[in-house]
């Protein structure tokens, strides 16, 4: 299973079109660092492409997305022979991508020019590199490349120092400390100065834009050199401690330990199918689902978790996680963890609360600290979903306080808390003078629902009722003429002129068609506001059947999400981006399970593929991968905080989910052939299941679910009580 995963899945990208915008990360699940092959360091955030044949070295990276940048990175590049210049262009070599190994736990690259076999495996705080120099009587060596201020000290078989090359941080002098042990002592350390290589042996080297060359003694035999590298964002001493814990472990042992960690996560869901390619695709998605958020905390000498707080520039107690945008991941990643990784979920919640204690506001987009991108404060959904599922229950009083603070207090900074808080409370919507005002209104209303759910768990009836009422604010933007949500000015006037195909301005990375149906908690209320089920069915049917046209006025040019929607051609369902993730399931709310199932099966089998062009758009920290994982099992958590999963259609003959509580959930699909898009009967624990949802309790009790598929949609009708969760019915 592990060795069939190719981490290059979804990595064929450019700024104008995304097939995932993923990177081929090697390391361990939720590691502090990941390693990738760098093929073109001059191409900005798109420094890897799977069809390049250039090997510039192994890049230690913290880039969660090309749109976020790499807040701390370096490249280690092995070379052979005399070096006269330091630039990558003069020292890079070719490799054969078809012969290379790109696996979650292991990289293997052969440089044709330098005749070096380069291998790498990872651990949480660093990696183990192995270079086999085949050219005899040539100088073996390697570069450390970085950008920004750096300091290195060469102690023969140990390199220590730091780099500082942040891409956005509250600490403008953020340092990543390094400790690198070598199996063979360095004989020379050089930099280029005035077009000459000069020696800096036994000195502490301080550079503003370092490219440092280290070399070893020349040998008449093949030479093997191993580097064990550890990092820390806390101190040089902590980097050495992180290194000390990994020393004495061989390369093969590190590789095996990394493999075991991946297998422990991948094995939590087992799938069986006659379609082997779909099985391979599923585990590609599973791999991506356990990369983010990344560990930011470290383990001190007392074996306690501690983390670096970039605001106070001090070390704080407790866990911390980074490289995560909740607008993306709240919809899929954390509901998946609630089934199979609750221990990790609890630790992450503790870490997110520590981010609140550091800054005064719950996080929205951490990399490494608050970047403040995307609308809303959708960590509220992560908290509420945990609350109703009994995850981290003891922390919910503190979380409720933190959620209410964001809902009532303006931080004064765009990157913390809600934008337009006072106006939202005053008008019941965010006015159009705020960027992406419609999305803010929807997301705040849903967050208000999430607050009410946490309050309900804590038996705080007053707060529950207050925020349930406030969660209906999205209705203030319902426009029955166009069947969407439409921005309003502060005086209550709808935005005019109005073009429902116009992307941007009042909508986030989409138009009104993608961004008007996120009343996750109150679909029956939304349906009623639009005139009832018949009218709403017409609206969402038109959404699907409308050609994927778009107007670029809000951005002034065609952004990649527009291109991707047009390319896959599923009407206005832009599955390339999170606002469309739930759109196929809207038909369940009008009792049309068959339509939901048809769209989902087509999306899963046509919009996703195995290979370098794997995704229909940005994968975004595991969110799209987890979307595929969940929907391919026939379930989808359309409303985190409800404790329910909307029913879809499984892809596999059998799925066995090894739940976090030790029980097994099994999902079997009968008559599972490509042309069967519908279920004529669903059974839960051998009884006919007539609801269009399963509860979290159903699943965690170790349910046995069966889908009987068929060719023609059945004529089943559903009552309101059989439809998925809605605050008002």
């Amino acid at each position: 299973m592990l060795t069939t995963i190719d981490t290059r899945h979804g990595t064929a990208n450019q700024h104008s079109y995304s097939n995932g915008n993923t990177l081929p990360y090697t390391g361990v699940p939720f590691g502090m660092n990941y390693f990738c092959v760098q093929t073109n360091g001059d191409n900005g955030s798109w420094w890897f492409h799977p069809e390049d044949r250039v090997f510039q070295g192994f890049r230690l990276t913290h880039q969660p997305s090309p749109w976020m940048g790499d807040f701390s990175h370096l490249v280690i590049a092995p070379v052979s022979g005399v070096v006269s210049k330091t630039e990558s262009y003069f020292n890079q070599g070719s490799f054969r991508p078809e012969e290379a190994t790109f696996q979650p736990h292991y990289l293997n690259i052969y440089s044709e020019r330098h005749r070096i076999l380069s291998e790498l495996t990872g651990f949480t705080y660093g990696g183990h590199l192995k270079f086999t120099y085949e050219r005899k009587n040539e100088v073996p060596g390697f570069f450390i490349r970085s950008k920004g201020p750096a300091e290195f000290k060469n102690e023969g078989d140990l390199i220590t120092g730091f780099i500082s090359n942040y891409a956005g941080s509250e600490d403008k002098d953020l340092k990543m400390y390094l400790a690198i042990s070598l199996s063979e002592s360095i004989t020379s350390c050089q930099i280029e100065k005035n077009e000459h290589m000069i020696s800096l042996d036994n000195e502490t080297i301080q550079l503003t834009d370092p490219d440092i060359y280290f070399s070893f003694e020349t040998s008449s035999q093949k030479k093997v050199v191993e580097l064990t590298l550890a990092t820390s964002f806390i101190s040089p001493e902590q980097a050495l401690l992180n290194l000390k814990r990994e020393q004495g472990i061989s390369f093969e042992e590190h590789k095996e330990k990394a493999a075991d960690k991946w297998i422990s996560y991948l094995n939590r869901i087992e799938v069986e199918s006659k379609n082997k390619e779909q099985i391979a695709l599923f585990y590609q998605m599973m791999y991506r689902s356990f990369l983010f958020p990344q560990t930011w905390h470290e383990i001190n000498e007392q074996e306690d978790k501690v983390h670096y707080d970039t605001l106070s520039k001090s070390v704080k107690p407790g866990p911390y996680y980074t490289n995560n945008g909740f607008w993306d991941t709240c919809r899929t990643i954390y509901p998946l963890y609630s089934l199979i990784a609750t221990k990790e979920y609890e630790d992450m919640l503790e870490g997110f609360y520590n981010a609140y204690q550091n800054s005064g506001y719950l996080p929205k987009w951490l990399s490494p600290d608050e970047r403040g991108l995307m609308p809303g404060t959708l960590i509220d959904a992560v908290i509420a979903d945990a609350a109703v599922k009994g995850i981290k229950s003891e922390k919910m009083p503190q979380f409720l306080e933190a959620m209410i603070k964001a809902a009532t207090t303006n931080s004064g900074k765009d990157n913390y808390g809600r934008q337009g808080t006072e106006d939202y409370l005053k008008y019941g919507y965010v006015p159009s003078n705020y960027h992406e005002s419609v999305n803010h209104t929807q997301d705040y209303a849903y967050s208000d629902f999430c607050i009410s759910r946490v309050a309900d768990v804590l038996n705080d009836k007053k707060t529950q009722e207050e925020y349930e009422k406030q969660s209906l604010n999205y209705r203030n933007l319902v426009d029955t003429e166009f069947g969407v949500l439409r921005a309003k000015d502060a005086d209550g006037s709808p935005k005019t002129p109005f073009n429902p195909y116009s992307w941007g301005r009042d909508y986030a990375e989409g138009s009104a068609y993608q961004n008007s149906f996120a009343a996750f908690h109150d679909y029956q209320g939304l349906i009623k506001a639009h005139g009832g089920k018949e009218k709403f069915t017409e609206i969402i049917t038109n959404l699907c059947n409308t050609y994927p046209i778009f107007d670029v006025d809000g951005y002034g040019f065609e952004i990649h999400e527009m291109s991707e929607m047009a390319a896959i051609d599923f009407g206005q369902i832009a599955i390339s981006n999170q606002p469309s993730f739930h759109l196929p399931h809207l038909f369940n709310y009008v009792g049309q399970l068959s339509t939901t199932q048809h769209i989902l099966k087509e999306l899963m089998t046509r919009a996703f593929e195995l290979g370098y062009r794997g995704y229909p758009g940005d994968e975004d920290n595991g969110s799209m991968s987890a979307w595929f994982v969940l929907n391919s099992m026939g379930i989808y958590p359309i409303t985190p905080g409800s404790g329910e999963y909307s029913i879809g259609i499984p892809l596999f003959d059998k799925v066995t989910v090894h739940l976090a509580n030790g029980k097994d959930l099994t999902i079997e699909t009968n008559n599972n052939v490509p042309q069967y898009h519908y279920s004529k009967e669903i059974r839960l624990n051998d009884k006919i299941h007539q609801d269009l949802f399963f509860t979290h309790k159903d699943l965690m009790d170790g349910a046995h679910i069966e889908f009987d598929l068929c060719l023609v949609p059945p004529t089943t009708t559903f009552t309101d009580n059989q439809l998925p969760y809605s605050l008002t019915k």
Side-chain angles (χ1 to χ4, degrees), residues 450-501:
C450 293
I451 292 172
S452 76
R453 296 295 282 164
V454 177
D456 182 42
V457 168
L458 296 174
N459 202 31
D460 182 348
K461 296 302 180 185
K462 180 180 178 182
T463 301
Q464 176 196 348
E465 291 172 2
E466 177 185 351
Y467 280 91
E468 272 189 4
K469 180 179 179 181
Q470 194 165 289
S471 75
L472 303 181
N473 279 344
Y474 76 90
R475 296 181 185 179
N476 293 321
L477 297 185
V478 170
D479 184 280
T480 55
E481 178 184 356
F482 288 93
V484 296
L485 299 192
R486 183 174 175 182
K488 287 183 178 179
D489 297 334
D491 65 3
S493 300
K495 193 81 172 285
T496 53
F498 182 67
N499 176 2
Y501 300 106

Side-chain angles (χ1 to χ4, degrees), residues 519-540:
F520 303 122
H521 58 296
D522 188 43
Y523 278 116
Q524 294 308 315
L526 180 64
I527 290 168
K528 184 177 180 181
H530 277 299
K533 285 186 182 179
E534 185 176 344
K535 180 61 178 176
F536 190 75
T537 302
E538 179 185 334
I539 290 169
I540 58 177

Side-chain angles (χ1 to χ4, degrees), residues 277-465:
E277 187 169 295
Q278 283 185 352
I279 293 177
L281 180 59
F282 179 86
Y283 286 108
Q284 291 284 166
M285 302 298 184
M286 282 285 282
Y287 149 73
R288 292 289 315 178
S289 298
F290 296 105
L291 291 166
F292 300 100
Q294 286 181 260
T295 298
W296 176 258
H297 57 264
E298 302 175 50
I299 310 299
N300 66 13
E301 285 188 300
Q302 292 73 40
E303 300 293 326
D304 296 322
K305 292 178 181 178
V306 293
H307 66 274
Y308 181 67
D309 172 23
T310 58
L311 279 157
S312 66
K313 300 182 181 180
S314 64
V315 180
K316 298 284 185 68
Y320 195 106
Y321 292 84
T322 190
N323 277 349
N324 187 84
F326 295 99
W327 188 80
D328 301 303
T329 58
C330 76
R331 307 161 198 258
T332 58
I333 278 288
Y334 295 97
L336 177 61
Y337 294 167
S338 75
L339 293 170
I340 60 175
T342 55
K343 181 180 178 182
E344 294 86 343
Y345 194 170
E346 288 181 339
D347 201 54
M348 290 169 189
L349 285 167
E350 188 73 36
F352 302 148
Y353 187 76
N354 287 332
Y356 165 74
Q357 288 189 304
N358 293 348
S359 69
Y361 284 87
L362 288 167
K364 298 191 293 185
W365 225 121
L366 293 170
S367 182
D369 46 33
E370 185 59 77
R371 302 294 292 275
L373 299 184
M374 309 313 297
T377 52
L378 288 178
I379 189 174
D380 297 329
V382 177
I383 297 166
D385 206 44
V388 301
K389 294 173 179 176
I391 298 170
K392 205 63 181 176
S393 299
E394 74 280 3
K395 204 76 179 180
M396 289 304 151
Q398 294 97 313
F399 273 124
L400 180 61
E401 179 182 343
M403 295 164 81
I404 291 174
K405 179 180 178 181
T408 56
T409 308
N410 194 317
S411 70
K413 297 181 179 180
D414 287 346
N415 58 326
Y416 289 101
R418 296 185 180 186
Q419 295 181 38
T421 310
E422 291 90 349
D423 283 346
Y424 173 74
L425 296 173
K426 178 180 179 180
Y427 301 114
Y429 59 91
V430 177
S432 59
N433 56 299
Y434 292 91
H435 182 55
E436 299 174 339
S437 63
V438 171
N439 288 77
H440 282 302
T441 299
Q442 280 188 117
D443 291 346
Y444 296 168
Y446 175 50
S447 278
D448 289 340
F449 163 77
C450 293
I451 292 172
S452 76
R453 296 295 282 164
V454 177
D456 182 42
V457 168
L458 296 174
N459 202 31
D460 182 348
K461 296 302 180 185
K462 180 180 178 182
T463 301
Q464 176 196 348
E465 291 172 2

Side-chain angles (χ1 to χ4, degrees), residues 215-256:
S215 60
F216 307 99
E217 184 178 351
T218 303
S219 171
S220 60
Q221 303 296 321
K222 179 169 67 175
K223 185 184 284 288
V224 178
V225 179
E226 296 187 26
L227 287 70
T228 306
L229 177 153
T231 68
S232 171
F233 289 95
I234 290 175
S235 68
E237 294 77 18
Q238 183 67 46
L240 284 166
L241 179 59
N242 293 344
L243 176 63
K244 181 180 178 182
R245 289 172 172 148
E246 303 297 335
Q247 287 181 300
I249 302 174
S250 71
F251 183 87
E252 288 303 319
E253 287 172 330
H254 266 137
K255 180 181 173 184
E256 185 176 351

